[in-house]
Every structure is written in C-alpha cells, then in structure tokens.
Amino acid sequence: MLVLTEKRQGVGWLYLNRPDSLNSLTAELAADVVEAVAQLEADPEVRVIVFSGQGRAFCAGGDLASLKALEQEEDAVAFVQAAGKTSEALFNCRKPVIAMVNGVAAGAGFNLALACDLVFAAAGVKFIQSFSNIGLVPDCGGHYFLPRAIGIWRAKQAMFEALPITAEEGKELGFVNAIYPAEELAAATEKYAVQLAQRAPLSLQNCKKLLNETGNLSLAELLEAEAAVQGKLVVSADCKEGLAAFAEKRQPNFKGE
C-alpha cells in the first residue's frame, strides 16, 4: 500500500508509505494521497488530519526514476499535474491538516508540508527547495505557498540557492509552528491534534476557508464573506453549546452542528 491511514480520538493519520525511496512522489502515490485525503475529509469521526511519512523521511520530492523515464513533454506535464493535486487536496481539505515532518522534506515534499495548515517538525530536520539543483522550478504549489509563508524575497533566495533550511531556521522564518525531539514528535503531535479535534469543527473549517481566500479578496469582499459565515455559525448548535459552556464554566461538547 502506497499510503497508510488510521484514525483515533477524532484524528485521522495519513502516511506516505514508500520508505525505501524516502517517500518520493510517483503518479500512483499522488493519486492515492488525493483519495485518502478525500476519504478522511468525508469521515464524520475525523475532525483533524495529520500528514506524515513512514521511515526516516517526510518526502524527498519527485521520484527520480519516474522523472528520468519521462521523454515527452505532455507526459511530463501530466506527471507534474498529478503531483500538484496532492498539494491542492491538502490545502482545500475542509478540515485542519497538520504536517508532521519526521525527516527531510525536499522539493515537492517541502511544498506538501506548506500546503498543510500547521507544520510540526523533528529537531534538525531539513527543508530544501532543491529544484534548481536539477534544472527544474518548484512545483506542487511552491510558488504559491512559500512567498505567503516567508515573503517573496526570502522565497526567491530559498528557490535560487536550493540550500537546506533547518527546522529551527524554519521556525524563525515562520513556516514551522513547533519543533520537538524526534523521539517525541509523534506523541506531541497527537496530543495537540486530539486537543484541536475537541474544538468547534465548523469554526475551524470556516477559519481555514476564509484564511485560504484572504489573498484573493478585497477587504470589503472579506468582510462580506465573514458576515455570511458568522451569520450561520451564530445560530448553529455548536455556538449555543459554546455560549452555554462558557456561562456554566465547563468544557463544551461540540458536534459540528
């Protein structure tokens, strides 16, 4: 199986499962990721998704054997489009997605992490926009995600130079949210994800949607979008529950309704 999934305590876990090739992307793996994200998104028991890689890498980018085998331009375009659908699936997923970066995130792997909503990384792991080293440009949405994360000038530098950025440097730049020792990463990520899964699902989903749209809307358009969303949430059962729990000084029991 090219991907592994499981769920517990409201959290869906999605792992790339090509450890012998450092979870490098093939067209088949990309298709399986898209399908797995869709299944977890549709599962009412899953409120948060954690995305990671099996073995010692998060994702080393595009599979080199697959790239070498491409001889026709139209085939190359189709391969890159298939890979890009993984970033699109993660970014557009209604539910919060946490990238648990357990090892190197190179090339497309870096951009898959950026397509997620939060990035938790093992201490010392490296992120690399490695494309220029082999005569390519970033794909899987790199030109969209990286400038939004660190600014266009730093994004240009990272892409031009193709030098490793450590998790610690990534946290200073702003695209890494938390760093843990490698042996503590999974447990710390799970603790956070379970806590996040207990929060109001509709609130988190709509926050993600509005934030993802921010760059495409004027202030007036965003205010209208906020009002439309908030109008629905104010009269939702979860909002009523949240207000009652606040007044009664207890933990709310949100149901996504």
Side-chain angles (χ1 to χ4, degrees):
M1 298 175 65
L2 296 179
V3 299
L4 301 175
T5 61
E6 58 181 307
K7 59 182 180 180
R8 54 183 183 269
Q9 295 183 276
V11 180
W13 297 78
L14 170 56
Y15 297 95
L16 303 177
N17 189 35
R18 298 187 70 228
D20 292 343
S21 65
L22 302 181
N23 298 314
S24 57
L25 280 178
T26 62
E28 294 77 14
L29 175 57
D32 284 358
V33 171
V34 172
E35 181 179 354
V37 171
Q39 291 175 350
L40 292 172
E41 182 179 15
D43 190 329
E45 295 181 5
V46 173
R47 294 187 176 183
V48 176
I49 298 170
V50 176
F51 178 60
S52 191
Q54 289 283 71
R56 58 191 179 92
F58 177 74
C59 174
D63 181 70
L64 295 183
S66 297
L67 291 174
K68 289 178 181 178
L70 295 170
E71 298 290 343
Q72 302 298 320
E73 183 176 340
E74 57 268 28
D75 294 332
V77 169
F79 177 85
V80 176
Q81 288 175 333
K85 290 185 183 299
T86 56
S87 292
E88 189 175 27
L90 294 165
F91 184 71
N92 289 331
C93 177
R94 291 183 297 109
K95 299 173 180 179
V97 182
I98 302 171
M100 187 175 76
V101 183
N102 54 307
V104 65
F110 191 167
N111 297 328
L112 288 181
L114 293 175
C116 300
D117 303 300
L118 299 170
V119 178
F120 287 11
V125 300
K126 295 177 180 178
F127 298 81
I128 315 170
Q129 291 286 338
S130 52
F131 301 91
S132 67
N133 287 333
I134 55 173
L136 298 175
V137 299
D139 52 28
C140 285
H143 294 93
Y144 181 83
F145 297 121
L146 194 59
R148 287 165 65 103
I150 66 175
I152 192 167
W153 308 111
R154 284 174 169 165
K156 287 177 180 178
Q157 183 177 10
M159 291 177 176
F160 292 171
E161 295 178 351
L163 295 175
I165 301 170
T166 65
E168 291 74 15
E169 291 168 334
K171 195 168 190 297
E172 291 182 5
L173 288 169
F175 69 82
V176 172
N177 296 92
I179 300 172
Y180 299 97
E183 65 275 12
E184 299 175 13
L185 176 64
T189 303
E190 180 166 19
K191 180 180 179 180
Y192 182 92
V194 169
Q195 291 174 343
L196 196 61
Q198 295 170 355
R199 302 190 70 82
L202 297 178
S203 174
L204 298 183
Q205 291 171 20
N206 282 285
C207 277
K208 174 173 179 173
K209 183 175 186 294
L210 289 168
L211 286 168
N212 284 357
E213 293 176 351
T214 297
N216 304 320
L217 301 176
S218 68
L219 175 58
E221 290 169 332
L222 185 58
L223 289 171
E224 284 298 313
E226 287 176 342
V229 168
Q230 200 77 310
K232 294 178 181 178
L233 295 184
V234 165
V235 299
S236 70
D238 273 0
C239 181
K240 305 304 181 190
E241 166 63 10
L243 292 171
F246 181 79
E248 297 164 12
K249 296 181 171 56
R250 62 173 173 81
Q251 289 296 315
N253 180 23
F254 296 119
K255 297 182 179 180
E257 301 173 350

